[in-house]
Amino acid sequence: MFLSTVNNDRAGGEMLELMQRVWPLHRCVTGDGVRETLRVLGETIPLEITEVPTGTRILDWTVPQEWNIRDAYIQDASGVKVVDYGQSNLHVVGYSQGVRARLCWNELQPHLSTLPEKPDWIPYRVDQQGDWGFCLSHRQYEALASRGNVDYDIVIDAQRRDGSLSYGECYLPGKSSDEVLFSAHVCHPSLANDNLSGIAVSMMLAKALAKSEHWYSYRFVFAPATIGAIAWLANNRERTARIQHGLVLALLGHPGQSTYKKSRRGNAAIDQIVEYVLRQSESPFEIRQFTPLGYDERQFCSPGFNLPVGCLMRTPNGEYPEYHTSADDMSLIAPTALVDSLAKCLSIVEIVDNSHRYLNPRPYGEPALGKHSLYRAYGAADREASFQEAILWTLNLSDGAHTLLDIALRSGLRFPEIRRAAAALSECGLLETCNRQSLSDDCGLKSVEEVGGDAPRRTPDAARSLLCELERFEPCPTNR
């Protein structure tokens, strides 16, 4: 259903276009860079922006002053800008105080950060409590050090002032008020994989869901890492009880294999669903247990909330050399990785939204499938043999306790085939849907006396027509 709404080539191009457009913006924990990024996202998906004022208490945190920057540089005596914010917004330590001064090299040196082991790359640094600082490549640093203790003009045209912290929400209502949460952080400056890739995949996923009907309501949160998620949780404590599944999306443009970090619960439905999708993709992947390190799954899975939220990524944070450096640029992004990540997210949503529990109203012996046009002739094609097997498995395990994913896992058949079987059986009156609002409840098996009579059924022609409709549903293949 959702997969069919996405054209892979077009989606890949749209994600890259978004990333290139917001790449130059200087995003930080607060400020105009985050607001402009959210405004751009709002051109494609419905987005409500919340501003949390400076000084607001949010759980154990307090919203800091807002920070914005206009320009920054280090200039030598001849007027040459030897370090220029205009060339890379990573050159300035995030949240630096404004400064205009003339300093000698020995005075300037303590304010400089480099990566000696990666001499051509600029590090990414943020320090909300510190004074000010610059980041530069180690080769730049060595070239300046070789000049001796000469003077430099230092300018950081930046300001910390009372303002607000911004986050955006895209809410897509479904038939149920229960929610599925997706979260992406929006606080990094010009870093492509971390996390413009997560923002881009989240946007395209929301765009696809907005075009389709769905059971669950879907909520996409775009917020600064850590404090942004904490602000959202503080403002939505009661709403968190509605969250049935959730994913943090990050680092999805790197060509490495998919990696899934489980929720704190470790056995949540989302953990089972993501692992199933990754296994079905037939490409390399890794499943990791929860740790209280990483992205905003730490906040959603803090013990007071303990939400069923995992983290889907490719190569994890800190495990690819370009992480948090100027080398995490657009050249690092593999368009096929973006498309593959989106396809996997769509496959996850397909199962989340359609893994119902059903009840077989005729549990005593198999129903006469032939009169419902659901029994294949001997020697039928292998595809129909697989469908027949799916019919039998679905009938047998539809006891109100097993979801369609449970049946797919138990039978070894693919989820779309089990879903197709359930749809055909439902149309013939041979399955009943349990109440999705109370999936943990016993749907209640009927006695022989209660079953009685013939179940309502479609004519054979109507049943065949339904199967033809279902045949057209084919999930988009992921990259292998």
Side-chain angles (χ1 to χ4, degrees):
M1 179 172 60
F2 307 118
L3 287 159
S4 62
T5 66
V6 175
N7 177 286
N8 284 351
D9 292 337
R10 192 179 306 139
E14 194 167 342
M15 287 187 284
L16 285 173
E17 182 180 352
L18 170 74
M19 293 173 67
Q20 289 163 347
R21 183 175 173 187
V22 300
W23 164 265
L25 300 177
H26 194 143
R27 287 164 294 277
C28 197
V29 175
T30 61
D32 293 334
V34 170
R35 288 193 193 92
E36 179 61 14
T37 300
L38 296 176
R39 189 195 67 78
V40 172
L41 287 172
E43 295 175 3
T44 302
I45 57 176
L47 202 68
E48 179 180 345
I49 298 175
T50 298
E51 300 285 351
V52 187
T54 296
T56 302
R57 187 69 181 266
I58 45 173
L59 306 181
D60 196 42
W61 294 59
T62 302
V63 174
Q65 288 189 309
E66 184 175 322
W67 183 75
N68 286 292
I69 183 170
R70 288 164 290 277
D71 195 14
Y73 55 84
I74 300 173
Q75 184 173 278
D76 66 16
S78 66
V80 175
K81 294 180 180 179
V82 293
V83 176
D84 187 0
Y85 169 81
Q87 294 181 353
S88 172
N89 57 28
L90 297 183
H91 272 313
V92 177
V93 174
Y95 259 80
S96 285
Q97 293 182 357
V99 59
R100 289 182 180 272
R102 177 165 289 180
L103 301 177
C104 68
W105 172 250
N106 290 341
E107 294 170 316
L108 172 61
Q109 190 177 0
H111 295 274
L112 303 180
S113 297
T114 72
L115 295 170
E117 69 280 10
K118 301 166 185 173
D120 295 314
W121 298 352
I122 304 167
Y124 165 55
R125 299 282 187 269
V126 178
D127 186 358
Q128 294 183 49
Q129 309 301 323
D131 186 9
W132 59 270
F134 284 89
C135 297
L136 60 160
S137 75
H138 199 66
R139 294 199 194 282
Q140 286 178 296
Y141 176 90
E142 289 179 325
L144 297 178
S146 69
R147 297 184 181 187
N149 193 33
V150 298
D151 289 346
Y152 295 93
D153 289 324
I154 311 302
V155 173
I156 298 181
D157 185 6
Q159 186 180 37
R160 298 177 189 172
R161 60 173 179 79
D162 287 351
S164 59
L165 177 148
S166 312
Y167 64 78
E169 291 179 86
C170 172
Y171 178 70
L172 304 173
K175 296 175 183 177
S176 169
S177 61
D178 285 346
E179 295 186 11
V180 180
L181 175 70
F182 288 93
S183 173
H185 63 274
V186 294
C187 55
H188 289 9
S190 296
L191 299 175
N193 193 41
D194 183 24
N195 187 40
L196 291 183
S197 64
I199 296 170
V201 171
S202 295
M203 180 200 73
M204 286 304 301
L205 182 60
K207 182 179 178 181
L209 285 168
K211 296 177 181 178
S212 306
E213 290 187 357
H214 34 83
W215 172 261
Y216 283 112
S217 295
Y218 287 81
R219 187 177 300 275
F220 292 80
V221 175
F222 300 89
T226 306
I227 194 169
I230 287 171
W232 185 87
L233 287 165
N235 287 341
N236 294 275
R237 269 182 128 155
E238 293 182 3
R239 180 174 287 132
T240 59
R242 301 178 188 168
I243 296 173
Q244 305 300 308
H245 313 276
L247 283 177
V248 171
L249 300 180
L251 307 170
L252 295 174
H254 190 270
Q257 68 182 19
S258 293
T259 302
Y260 177 65
K261 176 181 168 183
K262 288 186 175 184
S263 70
R264 180 178 181 268
R265 300 182 187 183
N267 61 350
I270 190 65
D271 301 326
Q272 184 184 46
I273 290 168
V274 176
E275 183 168 359
Y276 175 80
V277 167
L278 295 182
R279 290 190 186 282
Q280 290 295 312
S281 74
E282 299 180 6
S283 56
F285 68 92
E286 183 180 0
I287 302 292
R288 297 190 176 188
Q289 297 301 314
F290 174 81
T291 62
L293 308 168
Y295 291 112
D296 285 330
E297 67 277 5
R298 296 150 40 211
Q299 314 312 328
F300 300 122
C301 294
S302 56
F305 292 105
N306 196 26
L307 298 175
V309 176
C311 180
L312 183 64
M313 50 194 157
R314 299 187 81 88
T315 305
N317 48 299
E319 297 184 25
Y320 62 99
E322 301 86 355
Y323 178 72
H324 276 193
T325 76
S326 57
D328 187 351
D329 59 19
M330 291 300 296
S331 68
L332 183 67
I333 299 301
T336 54
L338 287 175
V339 171
D340 180 61
S341 298
L342 175 61
K344 286 169 178 169
C345 287
L346 287 164
S347 295
I348 290 164
V349 168
E350 286 282 354
I351 297 176
V352 163
D353 215 65
N354 293 286
S355 188
H356 301 254
R357 286 189 173 99
Y358 287 87
L359 186 67
N360 178 352
R362 298 171 169 272
Y364 300 98
E366 291 177 5
L369 296 176
K371 65 181 181 181
H372 300 283
S373 298
L374 292 177
Y375 198 82
R376 72 179 180 93
Y378 285 105
D382 288 345
R383 179 172 176 78
E384 285 308 308
S386 174
F387 180 61
Q388 184 72 68
E389 188 177 354
I391 289 281
L392 296 174
W393 272 108
T394 304
L395 277 171
N396 190 274
L397 291 183
S398 290
D399 54 7
H402 295 85
T403 65
L404 292 189
L405 180 59
D406 292 332
I407 299 172
L409 290 167
R410 178 84 173 267
S411 66
L413 298 172
R414 297 179 74 89
F415 181 83
E417 191 82 339
I418 296 296
R419 183 185 168 204
R420 175 175 170 244
L425 289 164
S426 296
E427 289 293 328
C428 294
L430 297 178
L431 282 188
E432 297 174 357
T433 309
C434 292
N435 183 356
R436 285 292 297 263
Q437 296 284 9
S438 55
L439 289 183
S440 61
D441 296 342
D442 182 6
C443 294
L445 291 175
K446 297 180 180 179
S447 68
V448 175
E449 291 75 15
E450 290 174 312
V451 172
D454 284 340
R457 66 185 181 93
R458 287 193 168 193
T459 64
D461 285 344
R464 280 192 291 271
S465 175
L466 172 71
L467 295 185
C468 289
E469 291 174 21
L470 292 167
E471 284 285 356
R472 290 200 294 270
F473 172 75
E474 287 293 340
C476 299
T478 56
N479 293 342
R480 297 180 179 178

